[in-house]
Amino acid sequence: EKMEKKNHQNSTLSAASSSVFFFFFSVFFFVFILFTSNVSSQQPLNYTLRQVQIITRHGARTSYGDIPNNAATWNCYSASASIPTFGGKMNEISNVDRLYSTYYLKNRQILKGNCSQGQLTDVGLNQHFQLGQYLRQRYVNQLSFLSYNYTSSELFLRSAEIQRCIQSAQAQILGLYPNILLNLSSNSLQSIPIFTIEADADNLETNLRCPKLIQLCNLVQNSSAWLSLLETFAPLQNELATSWKIQNNLSKFPTWPFLYQILESRLFKNLSLPGVDNKTLETISKIASSQLGLFWKDDERVRLAVGPLMSEILTTFKNFVENKNISNKNSKLDKLIFENFSGKNNNNISEPKYVLYSAHDITVSLVLRALGVWDGFWPGYASAVQIELWEKNGGNREEWGVGVVYNKEKMMMPGCGGWLCEWKRFVKIVGEVEMSEEQWEKKCFVGSPVVPVNDLSAAIC
């Protein structure tokens, strides 16, 4: 999914169509309940929330590629709207009388229609808007943790350098702060910064930058467990290949994770799933999740895939705990804040209370795996991991705690004895997988180029 550069329904399936519709309805009902139901107002007794770091998957998107011989027509609206600014004056934009919209030319893209591959859809935007509403309910209305109105010093927003992730973050913040950000005195709109790092340097997207990880992921796909899984589901592959008329050319059959993501994308775009009923879709989801689990079964692969990001997350919390909300200019996150926000006193700047990483399904699953709470299932669109830092009232550094919430469910980290994990135990858990960028670069070095055996080693692992 992280690779940006890669590249008629059968009448006998009428019974399957109703089953797929039921699955489609069930998924949307789940999303509705997930993001609109009341949030528990419970909080640890005698603790105060001090900081939260949130890692999300973008919302529903168009697919990469399509079902062989069954390409759908994908229709999208404006991909983005923006206005150029001059001289770096982004804090306030005044006298706005126009916006520039970009569109993809119809039937000139890889997919049929006017959508690009991986483009965020209206459903995806709405998912993150609803996620923002849920986060507002928890952090503004219930816990009074964030200010009622948007306050730039409280938030640090970062996104993978991909439009669907950036736009998901925008929609989420719109749900978190729905009021119009208009400076009435100057009749100007306030700009909300979302920071990004180019993919070749971003710790949200480490796979293609780490030859050792690609090498290990190539080996996984030759393991007995992997080959046994493929053998078990070879009959299903043949059945689908026959349905799609590619039984004589199985090279056109997508890998199971990519097939699942194609079906997932079509499902949320209300497009047909030829040859796939509800039971088959569930089976394909389990196969894809099992293969993802095999990739992340080994701690070394997990460290290479998410070690630098976990280091950043831990360091951000450490700065807050050790400096009592006074920033440490030596940390990577604080350097970003100091270097990108002008007009602040660099000797005394508050740590952001709310840190967002808008990323991918693989990022979400890796963070969960690193914390010991991954449930083994592929993260759905707009999935969110909330890592909350709590301080005991009147306590000292030893009495801080960390709690993890995944899609509104409290997760129990191993060896913590409860939802709120003691600070020392949390540091130990993360310490087993985190590593600095410098350590990571040394671990990734193999001395010669490594070529991914397929799109899984390149984009999933």
Side-chain angles (χ1 to χ4, degrees), residues 441-452:
E441 288 177 0
K442 291 179 181 178
K443 293 281 187 181
C444 286
F445 180 76
V446 295
S448 60
V450 180
V451 178

Side-chain angles (χ1 to χ4, degrees), residues 17-309:
S17 298
S18 61
S19 181
V20 170
F21 173 80
F22 175 76
F23 182 84
F24 178 74
F25 175 80
S26 300
V27 170
F28 270 93
F29 181 75
F30 168 76
V31 171
F32 175 81
I33 294 297
L34 177 64
F35 293 136
T36 61
S37 60
N38 290 330
V39 182
S40 171
S41 61
Q42 292 182 351
Q43 64 185 82
L45 188 63
N46 297 322
Y47 278 84
T48 300
L49 183 62
R50 293 303 185 193
Q51 191 176 52
V52 60
Q53 299 187 65
I54 302 176
I55 303 91
T56 63
R57 183 191 180 188
H58 56 75
R61 58 162 175 80
T62 62
S63 70
Y64 283 90
D66 214 331
I67 298 174
N69 296 326
N70 290 274
T73 298
W74 300 76
N75 294 313
C76 297
Y77 300 100
S78 174
S80 65
S82 61
I83 184 171
T85 59
F86 301 92
K89 297 179 180 179
M90 290 293 295
N91 287 339
E92 290 187 354
I93 303 174
S94 59
N95 301 319
V96 176
D97 60 0
R98 74 191 72 180
L99 290 173
Y100 295 90
S101 300
T102 58
Y103 299 85
Y104 288 96
L105 286 171
K106 189 174 182 179
N107 297 325
R108 297 286 296 275
Q109 316 307 320
I110 302 298
L111 298 174
K112 290 173 62 177
N114 68 339
C115 304
S116 69
Q117 295 184 104
Q119 182 176 338
L120 192 70
T121 65
D122 285 351
V123 171
L125 282 168
N126 192 51
Q127 287 173 325
H128 267 274
F129 177 75
Q130 291 183 30
L131 175 58
Q133 290 180 315
Y134 151 66
L135 295 169
R136 180 175 181 82
Q137 178 73 357
R138 178 164 179 78
Y139 296 122
V140 177
N141 299 339
Q142 292 180 345
L143 298 178
S144 299
F145 170 66
L146 295 175
S147 300
Y148 183 84
N149 294 315
Y150 170 75
T151 304
S152 61
S153 62
E154 292 184 344
L155 277 70
F156 184 81
L157 312 175
R158 183 152 93 79
S159 172
E161 191 197 25
I162 293 175
Q163 276 299 307
R164 64 178 176 272
C165 296
I166 296 171
Q167 291 171 347
S168 292
Q170 292 169 341
Q172 184 186 136
I173 299 306
L174 186 61
L176 183 62
Y177 292 106
N179 49 312
I180 298 175
L181 303 174
L182 182 64
N183 186 333
L184 297 178
S185 62
S186 62
N187 193 33
S188 63
L189 291 173
Q190 187 171 17
S191 171
I192 299 179
I194 298 176
F195 294 99
T196 189
I197 300 171
E198 58 183 314
D200 288 342
D202 192 358
N203 60 18
L204 293 176
E205 311 208 38
T206 58
N207 59 327
L208 283 180
R209 296 194 292 127
C210 185
K212 182 63 176 180
L213 179 59
I214 297 174
Q215 186 181 76
L216 292 174
C217 290
N218 285 346
L219 291 174
V220 170
Q221 295 184 69
N222 198 38
S223 66
S224 58
W226 187 279
L227 297 176
S228 175
L229 189 67
L230 293 181
E231 183 179 358
T232 299
F233 293 100
L236 177 59
Q237 182 187 34
N238 291 330
E239 177 186 330
L240 292 171
T242 301
S243 173
W244 300 333
K245 298 180 174 19
I246 59 169
Q247 65 271 25
N248 295 323
N249 189 3
L250 289 180
S251 63
K252 291 186 177 181
F253 194 93
T255 55
W256 289 111
F258 270 80
L259 175 58
Y260 173 65
Q261 294 193 30
I262 290 171
L263 298 173
E264 180 188 37
S265 298
R266 289 177 67 127
L267 183 69
F268 277 85
K269 195 64 175 169
N270 201 17
L271 297 170
S272 65
L273 308 183
V276 179
D277 60 15
N278 188 33
K279 183 178 179 180
T280 302
L281 182 60
E282 183 180 356
T283 300
I284 294 171
S285 171
K286 289 179 178 178
I287 299 170
S289 297
S290 296
Q291 290 187 328
L292 191 62
L294 289 174
F295 278 137
W296 306 141
K297 184 177 181 180
D298 180 76
D299 289 342
E300 182 182 9
R301 292 192 294 273
V302 174
R303 293 191 74 211
L304 291 174
V306 78
L309 176 59

Side-chain angles (χ1 to χ4, degrees), residues 343-409:
K344 292 181 180 284
N345 179 356
N346 285 5
N347 293 318
N348 187 20
I349 180 175
S350 295
E351 284 281 342
K353 299 169 71 175
Y354 183 105
V355 178
L356 170 67
Y357 298 94
S358 182
H360 303 279
D361 44 8
I362 304 305
T363 321
V364 170
S365 65
L366 279 165
V367 169
L368 293 170
R369 169 65 173 80
L371 296 173
V373 296
W374 185 44
D375 59 9
F377 292 98
W378 202 285
Y381 291 132
S383 288
V385 183
Q386 301 154 243
I387 312 176
E388 299 178 345
L389 177 66
W390 294 81
E391 180 184 16
K392 190 167 186 178
N393 299 335
N396 54 44
R397 186 182 305 173
E398 305 303 319
E399 297 179 286
W400 292 67
V402 178
V404 176
V405 178
Y406 176 49
N407 290 344
K408 289 186 61 179
E409 181 181 351

